[in-house]
Amino acid sequence: MGWFSKLLLPGRLRTGPTALLPARPDPKTLLAVAQLADPEARTDGDDILAGGSRIEVPVELTGDVLAKLGVPDSDTLWACRIAAEGPLPVDFFDKSLAEGIAYRLGGWSLCQGEPLDPAEETVDPLVYLPAVPEPEEILPVLTEALRHADAVDAERWPDGELIEGVVHVSVRRGRVADVYAGADVQVTIEEGHRLPPAAQTRWPYLTEIAIARVSPVVRTEETGADDAAGAASGEAADGTTEDVAGADAAPLDGHADTTSDADAGSGTDATADTGSAADADSGSDADATSDTGSAADAGANSDTDADPDVEDTASETDAEDADEARAALLVRADVAVTLANALRGIAADSRGFQLAEPADALPGGYA
């Protein structure tokens, strides 16, 4: 690569979607990942063609170029730029392709100058279906796949019907056709979507498909009996939250005012004391100052000693949250794969990459 090409490289990578990878990907591995999004993806020289986009040959990036791209804490990355070959079959498929490649190979995605770690984004598995399934067809599958709900949340689903542990809401408005919910997972059936490459390969005769979106159930917060009427509306709930926040802050403000008043009072008393007591007060003030200083030093030392424990606790909490998020994602992916197998659909993640098994939804699977 010439010096002029290197000079223009950061700008080219910013403008087009790019996957930034920690190691140079094996060509066969990169092709296999691309075929998850488009089963008909193929090599074209050193590049790969997938879904009307070209995955260019990986280019090594060093620290100076990465600094210009705004990617932190990295000395060397490999960039796979995605370039559209023509009209894309699905809007922003090239961006989804870059994010999906980075997600599976443990890297970053770069689009319009903004680096993104796809593993930090919450993704909801999808199921591509040729048509909206009838309740009699999908309910038996969800009854086995979902953890059962105990009752219908009348506030969230006033028209919901509990059928064998699954809440069914027939919406039939706009794009949403039906909603099915268990205790912690919700399946939303949407119709009228354009065909992504994976679905176009399976159903080339269709012009649009239905999508089952598997997401977490959003639970309403529990409130007391006195606040039940207010919690029925979003405005009342917001107002209650603000009032509670104000009530929590009030004691702190009052405590601060009381402390300042006490300090002002002690200062007045000290000024009133004169005469021979001044020497004694001076000595006691000096002792108090030294005591205060030693106490402050001790407090600072104790805080310093406590910092590693606080950091360890925070890291453990983050690790637990990450484990919980991975477990919840596996549960949703398992529901998606089960639905796809039962209804002869295609399980995929939110970026259009197929899922053969639930573990395929986890990040870094091909790293």
Side-chain angles (χ1 to χ4, degrees):
M1 182 183 295
W3 68 270
F4 189 69
S5 298
K6 289 183 178 180
L7 184 64
L8 297 179
L9 181 60
R12 293 179 66 245
L13 295 180
R14 285 195 193 97
T15 55
T18 301
L20 302 176
L21 309 176
R24 183 184 178 93
D26 178 75
K28 293 182 179 179
T29 301
L30 188 59
L31 177 61
V33 172
Q35 287 174 341
L36 295 176
D38 179 11
E40 295 183 347
R42 58 182 177 82
T43 59
D44 183 35
D46 293 332
D47 299 338
I48 295 174
L49 296 179
S53 298
R54 179 178 294 273
I55 305 172
E56 297 182 355
V57 62
V59 177
E60 185 178 11
L61 305 181
T62 54
D64 55 344
V65 177
L66 292 175
K68 293 178 181 179
L69 295 176
V71 180
D73 304 329
S74 296
D75 296 329
T76 302
L77 291 177
W78 291 83
C80 291
R81 185 172 180 267
I82 314 297
E85 286 290 284
L88 297 177
V90 178
D91 294 338
F92 306 113
F93 179 75
D94 54 345
K95 181 176 181 292
S96 299
L97 190 61
E99 292 181 359
I101 292 173
Y103 185 81
R104 279 156 181 78
L105 294 176
W108 294 65
S109 172
L110 182 67
C111 186
Q112 296 181 348
E114 181 180 356
L116 167 71
D117 184 358
E120 295 180 355
E121 286 193 337
T122 302
V123 294
D124 290 332
L126 309 173
V127 181
Y128 300 141
L129 300 169
V132 174
E134 295 296 329
E136 296 79 9
E137 185 180 6
I138 192 174
L139 274 171
V141 182
L142 293 178
T143 300
E144 298 294 331
L146 300 182
R147 193 164 66 88
H148 289 182
D150 297 328
V152 177
D153 185 347
E155 181 179 350
R156 180 168 177 77
W157 294 297
D159 299 328
E161 179 184 7
L162 186 64
I163 304 174
E164 297 183 1
V166 178
V167 178
H168 173 221
V169 183
S170 181
V171 181
R172 307 295 172 178
R173 289 197 307 269
R175 177 168 285 184
V176 177
D178 294 282
V179 176
Y180 302 90
D184 46 18
V185 174
Q186 172 179 315
V187 179
T188 305
I189 309 296
E190 304 173 0
E191 58 183 345
H193 285 269
R194 297 175 61 184
L195 273 72
Q200 193 172 29
T201 302
R202 175 78 68 88
W203 305 296
Y205 51 87
L206 294 179
T207 58
E208 59 182 34
I209 59 170
I211 287 181
R213 192 179 306 275
V214 185
S215 60
V217 170
V218 180
R219 296 184 178 87
T220 56
E221 296 182 358
E222 295 182 359
T223 57
D226 296 338
D227 298 332
S233 66
E235 295 178 359
D238 294 340
T240 305
T241 304
E242 292 176 359
D243 293 341
V244 171
D248 292 340
L252 296 177
D253 295 340
H255 179 70
D257 293 339
T258 304
T259 305
S260 62
D261 292 341
D263 292 341
S266 63
T268 303
D269 294 340
T271 304
D273 293 336
T274 57
S276 61
D279 296 336
D281 290 341
S282 175
S284 62
D285 289 344
D287 294 339
T289 302
S290 62
D291 293 340
T292 304
S294 61
D297 293 340
N301 292 335
S302 63
D303 291 342
T304 303
D305 294 339
D307 284 344
D309 296 336
V310 173
E311 293 177 358
D312 292 342
T313 303
S315 62
E316 291 176 1
T317 303
D318 292 341
E320 292 176 358
D321 292 343
D323 291 341
E324 291 179 0
R326 288 168 65 92
L329 177 57
L330 281 175
V331 169
R332 301 198 302 275
D334 183 65
V335 173
V337 172
T338 301
L339 277 176
N341 292 336
L343 302 179
R344 291 187 288 276
I346 301 172
D349 64 10
S350 61
R351 301 179 180 93
F353 284 67
Q354 297 179 78
L355 306 176
E357 56 186 22
D360 292 340
L362 296 177
Y366 286 75

